[in-house]
Amino acid sequence: MATAVTGGPGRWSAHLAEGWDIFGVTNGGYLMAIATRAMEAESGGRILISATGSYLNPAGAGPVDVDVEVLKEGRSLSTLRATISTAGRSLVYVTGVFTDPETQRNDARLVLAKPPDLPPPDECVPALPTEDAPLPPPFTGKVDLRIHPEDARAVLGEKTGVPLVRGWFRLRDGETMNAHAVVLATDAMPPAIFNADLTVGWTPTVDLTVQIRDPSPAGWLASRFSSRFITDGMLEEDGEIWDEQGNPVALSRQLALVPR
């Protein structure tokens, strides 16, 4: 398991695996998934419902420390903070909110959005790294991504002009999804800005917030990522993750630097 943690309480250890990177820089969602797994263990098994990560320094493969602090432990909610570091250098700082799995949930339901309009996974474009292509990066070989044909053409220069990327996500080898994999899914697709009439390049994440609505979805996850505000060298990317039955799984918002 690439996000496994050992140790605790307070200090956990993990190993950033080879291949989970964007051309040498470890994927931000993968880093955040390790932090949320350590916080989950520290919480005594409560379930992740929200996490926000602030990215401080780029990371590469190798061992890391995960220091976890419990900020508040209530009857139904716990708030924790985790810092991933290596050799005394902080990489990412994550705050997470966790809930008791036995907590009584409110039956109220109102969903005013719809899943993205996507062809079936077999009719979408697999994102797989190759030795002689600049895209996609090595990370895409670790998960199963299928990108909407219109959006897949964007990285080849056939842009629609609309910063939008849609696609399917699942783990490889039939691995079961959990809240940490959902966090990973929110940072797995190519940046929506690739479909805009702007430069394609590295888009470093400043911070990422993920809200979990279903911590254990099954099957393919349908995703839609879009940007509405690209100004002053910064962009926001709003994400939606849905299950195959059309139920919301997660919402995300990412602040990132515009490629130079």
Side-chain angles (χ1 to χ4, degrees):
M1 185 187 300
T3 59
V5 297
T6 58
R11 167 158 286 203
W12 302 79
S13 297
H15 189 92
L16 305 184
E18 297 280 354
W20 291 83
D21 64 281
I22 311 299
F23 306 117
V25 179
T26 300
N27 173 265
Y30 172 58
L31 269 175
M32 197 159 158
I34 290 174
T36 58
R37 186 175 289 279
M39 288 189 288
E40 179 186 78
E42 190 81 23
S43 76
R46 287 189 162 184
I47 298 171
L48 177 69
I49 59 172
S50 179
T52 297
S54 297
Y55 294 85
L56 309 176
N57 287 294
V64 292
D65 296 316
V66 188
D67 292 309
V68 178
E69 177 185 2
V70 178
L71 301 179
K72 180 180 180 180
E73 185 172 355
R75 288 187 299 173
S76 61
L77 296 174
S78 296
T79 303
L80 295 91
R81 178 169 54 202
T83 302
I84 297 182
S85 61
T86 180
R89 182 170 176 260
S90 297
L91 305 176
V92 62
Y93 178 94
V94 182
T95 302
V97 180
F98 295 76
T99 188
D100 193 317
E102 303 301 323
T103 298
Q104 182 71 31
R105 298 303 178 94
N106 193 304
D107 291 332
R109 180 179 174 86
L110 177 64
V111 179
L112 299 180
K114 295 181 179 180
D117 184 13
L118 277 168
D122 289 346
E123 297 178 17
C124 290
V125 180
L128 291 171
T130 62
E131 293 182 358
D132 55 356
L135 292 169
F139 164 79
T140 60
K142 295 296 185 179
V143 295
D144 196 347
L145 295 181
R146 309 291 176 89
I147 302 175
H148 192 297
E150 290 180 5
D151 304 333
R153 289 194 290 269
V155 299
L156 301 177
E158 300 178 36
K159 303 182 181 185
T160 66
V162 178
L164 171 69
V165 171
R166 298 153 292 175
W168 298 96
F169 173 95
R170 70 178 177 183
L171 298 176
R172 290 195 175 277
D173 303 320
E175 186 176 346
T176 302
M177 291 287 295
N178 55 31
H180 317 297
V182 172
V183 169
L184 178 67
T186 66
D187 195 35
M189 288 288 170
I193 195 177
F194 282 12
N195 221 348
D197 294 322
L198 296 169
T199 300
V200 173
W202 185 40
T203 311
T205 302
V206 177
D207 61 54
L208 170 63
T209 294
V210 181
Q211 298 175 357
I212 308 289
R213 300 303 173 89
D214 182 355
S216 54
W220 285 99
L221 299 183
S223 60
R224 180 183 189 276
F225 297 93
S226 63
S227 293
R228 296 180 299 159
F229 305 99
I230 303 173
T231 62
D232 298 323
M234 308 293 288
L235 67 90
E236 52 73 38
E237 182 177 278
D238 294 307
E240 302 171 6
I241 307 286
W242 303 75
D243 66 16
E244 291 182 81
Q245 289 70 48
N247 299 307
V249 171
L251 304 172
S252 67
R253 168 162 280 196
Q254 184 170 162
L255 179 68
L257 300 178
V258 175
R260 294 182 178 178

